Amino acid sequence: MELKIVTGMSGAGKTIFVQVLEDMGYYCVDNLPPNLFIKFVELIRQAQSDYDKVALVADVRGGKFFQDVYSVLQELKNKGVKYEIIFLEASDEILVRRYKETRRRHPLAYKGGLLEGIQEERQRLQGIRGRADLIIDSSDLKVQDFKEKAAELLLGNDDWRLQVSLLSFGFKYGLPIDVDLVMDVRFLPNPFYIAELKPLSGQDEPVRDFVLERPESQSFLRKYTDLLLELLPQYVAEGKQHLAIAVGCTGGRHRSVAIVEELGRRLLAAQSQGVAIRTLHRDLPKNG
């Protein structure tokens, strides 16, 4: 049985995520107290039903019951039940806006204002977030984009043991919070200050040539590619299924985009079977 445990911040998109799971054939149970996880898994197994894909959703709505989640996860592990924890989150600003738009009450807002409830929830979920196999940040995603990203991450490919996402971003828009590794390439000369290159992006040949043909760029790419090629098999051996690598420059339009595209090409050319590579550019649309 393929078991996924879905949790995360209230308002981060768990309801939509469950819809994606159901469309993919998962039997989903929302707001199930963690101390019932084991009994539910045993029930599914004993029934010898067709439910080979199950998703259980638990969060702070469970109140005191949710405090049992850590001991339950350990008991599942002791019983040999394999599971994947998926954590959904969004920024405080986005969560506040979503709750104001829906006019729903945050489950912890009774102790204070909306923002205080969100911050308390984030504090309570730090432990489970640290154990998550996959973290999805829905802050900058519209509903359809979120569904597509979730489906892509969940579907993957049966032949891929590790999915690697290479993400470019701009530091001025904030650090991405759903990544595993972050690299800063602001040490490279910035095409932004060259009039004919400023309106272009790192996907355009003139900018790509300006960034990549420099000796310092070639040295960095060679060494960073070698490091990642050494790390990827070890992540696979540890059973990690998703690895998110972010590369940032000032605005996320020129240097980081060019580096991510080239890094993706090098990894695709050099990596062994069982690793899927995709490139994403978080802040490119914000730059026009």
Side-chain angles (χ1 to χ4, degrees), residues 81-266:
V81 178
K82 294 183 179 181
Y83 57 83
E84 181 183 16
I85 300 175
I86 300 174
F87 190 95
L88 305 181
E89 67 181 1
S91 66
D92 289 354
E93 179 184 357
I94 294 296
L95 293 174
V96 168
R97 188 177 72 192
R98 289 175 182 173
Y99 267 96
K100 286 185 176 181
E101 289 174 351
T102 60
R103 298 184 180 181
R104 297 195 64 190
R105 184 179 68 84
H106 188 277
L108 299 182
Y110 64 88
K111 289 191 174 183
L114 174 57
L115 182 58
E116 288 79 4
I118 291 172
Q119 292 172 341
E120 181 179 344
E121 180 182 32
R122 197 178 297 281
Q123 180 68 27
R124 290 190 188 184
L125 295 177
Q126 279 186 348
I128 192 70
R129 184 187 185 279
R131 300 189 184 194
D133 300 285
L134 175 63
I135 299 174
I136 303 177
D137 181 13
S138 65
S139 299
D140 297 320
L141 299 175
K142 296 179 181 178
V143 173
Q144 188 57 38
D145 294 334
F146 176 63
K147 286 184 176 181
E148 291 176 359
K149 179 177 181 178
E152 183 177 356
L153 290 172
L154 289 168
L155 279 172
N157 185 306
D158 291 339
D159 297 328
W160 298 342
R161 291 171 292 166
L162 178 66
Q163 296 182 55
V164 178
S165 297
L166 299 169
L167 173 73
S168 71
F169 73 96
F171 277 94
K172 73 176 184 180
Y173 298 111
L175 281 166
I177 58 178
D178 54 345
V179 298
D180 302 292
L181 305 173
V182 177
M183 179 57 66
D184 183 355
V185 295
R186 288 177 293 184
F187 64 88
L188 297 174
N190 194 350
F192 178 86
Y193 297 107
I194 299 177
E196 60 268 27
L197 299 181
K198 180 178 179 179
L200 304 178
S201 79
Q203 292 178 320
D204 295 311
E205 186 174 354
V207 174
R208 186 168 62 247
D209 292 344
F210 177 87
V211 173
L212 300 182
E213 290 180 356
R214 296 180 172 275
E216 58 267 40
S217 300
Q218 290 297 314
S219 177
F220 163 75
L221 282 165
R222 183 176 61 257
K223 293 177 181 178
Y224 197 45
T225 300
D226 288 343
L227 173 63
L228 293 176
L229 289 174
E230 182 175 343
L231 293 177
L232 293 183
Q234 299 181 54
Y235 281 122
V236 172
E238 286 297 316
K240 190 172 182 63
Q241 297 180 333
H242 306 94
L243 179 67
I245 303 169
V247 177
C249 61
T250 304
R253 178 175 180 82
H254 298 106
R255 292 167 291 181
S256 62
V257 173
I259 291 294
V260 159
E261 291 287 339
E262 179 62 20
L263 190 60
R265 282 191 286 270
R266 294 191 179 205

